[in-house]
Amino acid sequence: MTDPNTEPARSTGATGSTGSTGSTRASLARTRPSTARRRRRAVAATVLAGATALVLTGCGLQPATSFVPAAAPGSIKQIDDLPDGAHITVTSKNFTEQLVLGKIGVLAAKAAGFDVTDETNVPGSVAVRQLMLDQGADMTWEYTGTAWLAFMGHKQGIPDKEKQYTSVRDEDLANGLTWLRPAPMNNTYALAVRSDAVADLGNIESLSDIAKLPVSERTFCVESEFNSRADGFRPMLEHYGLKLGDADGVPSRNVSILDTGTVYEATARGKCNFGEVYTTDGRIKSLNLTVLEDDKSFFPAYNVAPVLSTETLREYPQLKRVYDQISPKLTDAQLQKLNYEVDVAGREPADVAFDWMVDEGFITKP
């Protein structure tokens, strides 16, 4: 995992211009897909054919299902002046959180009256990004840090959430992509502690509090990559006034290097006091862990936001209103719950997305 939001291993189960369209363009949209939209479908078919081969032969996974339950409008109203046959394609990556977000994107567009092609569950960030750049898809949910570091090639992320968002939004406009309102959820690295140990450790709340503990209590479970990253464990400790390998800081014997996926369980069992986690992972809820506040802003921001093709948004500016009302409800705690429903409770991402949108009043049952 070179980036918190680029690979399926992330989980166990990433202000637009508003133009108007003329009557001739609207009339054509009612009778046949535009040339650009037909090109998008062709590009999507080509990219996804390769992606499907990768899923079946490279990873042993199964192809995506495009199923979503039927939904009726709620606070997301059907757009009155939407041309007949108005169409968008929604895509997502293939880890749990992205599958849930992708289905939310599909359901929202359908409730607004769009004909939606569901191209969620695409393997890998690069394939999803290429679909968006090549106009093979119109909408996805992407993470600010992933775009900044993985797609735009910057060497360091920006811990300030607003600065990271505006920097990504402004740079991606040149690529024909418009970032809408970001969500509060920030799926980045963090350290977590067993909730029942918080009081025993002096009601610890933040990463700064670790330095106040006796050396014997500064015990950690981390993955090998996080332990060696330039923006990982050692620099994080130094940022908070501790030195790895120092007898008065964090002695090497206090650190357990574990395989991917085992850190959460080890932390919950008490093998260590602090474990490396991702802030929206469903295992945080299921294992009763408490995430410590990154009070000195070490970790880069990975807020998720709806990203749309700028061309599509010009054609259908109403999409901004649709997705902007959803983003504020997507918090870390909410995504932990939604991811839990898939990863731990074993439910389908589409059903989890549907129930949440009904509960929030965005859509209704038909």
Side-chain angles (χ1 to χ4, degrees):
M1 296 181 299
T2 57
D3 180 280
N5 295 286
T6 56
E7 298 299 335
R10 288 283 301 99
S11 189
T12 51
T15 309
S17 58
T18 54
S20 60
T21 56
S23 58
T24 301
R25 187 175 186 180
S27 176
L28 287 172
R30 293 187 182 95
T31 58
R32 61 181 176 82
S34 67
T35 300
R37 204 158 305 284
R38 282 183 277 120
R39 183 174 69 250
R40 287 178 191 142
R41 293 181 182 181
V43 170
T46 301
V47 173
L48 288 168
T52 300
L54 176 61
V55 172
L56 292 176
T57 63
C59 305
L61 301 175
Q62 296 300 314
T65 173
S66 59
F67 165 77
V68 291
S75 62
I76 297 175
K77 305 297 183 184
Q78 187 157 355
I79 299 169
D80 292 334
D81 58 347
L82 197 66
D84 293 341
H87 173 271
I88 69 168
T89 296
V90 176
T91 188
S92 80
K93 306 169 197 180
N94 66 335
F95 58 85
T96 297
E97 183 168 284
Q98 277 279 300
L99 294 175
V100 174
L101 290 171
K103 298 303 183 182
I104 289 172
V106 171
L107 287 163
K110 285 192 171 184
F114 285 89
D115 171 28
V116 183
T117 297
D118 182 348
E119 298 290 5
T120 55
N121 201 12
V122 173
S125 292
V126 174
V128 169
R129 177 71 171 182
Q130 204 60 49
L131 279 171
M132 294 297 296
L133 292 175
D134 292 344
Q135 298 185 330
D138 302 283
M139 184 270 168
T140 192
W141 296 86
E142 189 53 88
Y143 304 90
T144 54
T146 301
W148 187 250
L149 296 168
F151 302 150
M152 299 172 184
H154 297 281
K155 295 188 181 300
Q156 290 187 328
I158 303 174
D160 184 276
K161 297 176 183 179
E162 184 62 29
K163 289 181 180 178
Q164 182 67 94
Y165 166 71
T166 56
S167 297
V168 167
R169 179 198 65 191
D170 294 348
E171 186 164 330
D172 232 4
L173 283 172
N175 297 317
L177 300 177
T178 296
W179 288 65
L180 301 184
R181 184 178 185 178
M185 62 156 287
N186 178 25
N187 192 354
T188 189
Y189 286 113
L191 291 184
V193 59
R194 301 185 318 282
S195 296
D196 58 8
V198 169
D200 295 338
L201 295 170
N203 293 316
I204 190 167
E205 296 179 347
S206 68
L207 294 180
S208 290
D209 290 339
I210 296 176
K212 303 173 185 177
L213 297 174
V215 172
S216 61
E217 298 289 359
R218 299 174 193 161
T219 57
F220 300 86
C221 294
V222 299
E223 296 174 343
S224 59
E225 182 187 330
F226 183 65
N227 185 57
S228 61
R229 284 173 66 100
D231 59 349
F233 187 49
R234 183 186 297 270
M236 181 210 71
L237 290 175
E238 293 176 355
H239 189 77
Y240 281 93
L242 296 170
K243 186 175 180 180
L244 182 62
D246 190 282
D248 295 324
V250 178
S252 298
R253 66 177 180 275
N254 284 20
V255 181
S256 298
I257 310 299
L258 305 177
D259 292 335
T260 300
T262 62
V263 170
Y264 291 78
E265 288 281 354
T267 306
R269 292 196 309 267
K271 179 177 177 63
C272 53
N273 282 329
F274 308 105
E276 165 211 349
V277 299
Y278 300 108
T279 50
T280 61
D281 197 297
R283 288 170 290 184
I284 293 171
K285 174 180 171 62
S286 66
L287 296 173
N288 195 28
L289 302 177
T290 295
V291 176
L292 298 181
E293 179 189 357
D294 181 14
D295 54 310
K296 292 186 179 179
S297 302
F298 172 76
F299 292 112
Y302 282 87
N303 294 85
V304 81
V307 180
L308 282 89
S309 160
T310 303
E311 179 184 331
T312 300
L313 195 57
R314 288 197 188 104
E315 189 171 359
Y316 304 123
Q318 306 96 327
L319 283 167
K320 183 179 187 301
R321 295 196 303 271
V322 171
Y323 290 112
D324 273 356
Q325 64 181 290
I326 297 174
S327 290
K329 299 290 187 179
L330 296 172
T331 63
D332 285 356
Q334 187 61 70
L335 264 296
Q336 287 175 19
K337 293 176 182 177
L338 298 180
N339 289 332
Y340 170 90
E341 287 296 316
V342 178
D343 291 334
V344 180
R347 300 184 63 209
E348 288 294 326
D351 293 328
V352 172
F354 177 83
D355 287 347
W356 178 74
M357 293 191 73
V358 170
D359 290 344
E360 293 291 337
F362 295 128
I363 62 176
T364 56
K365 297 179 180 179

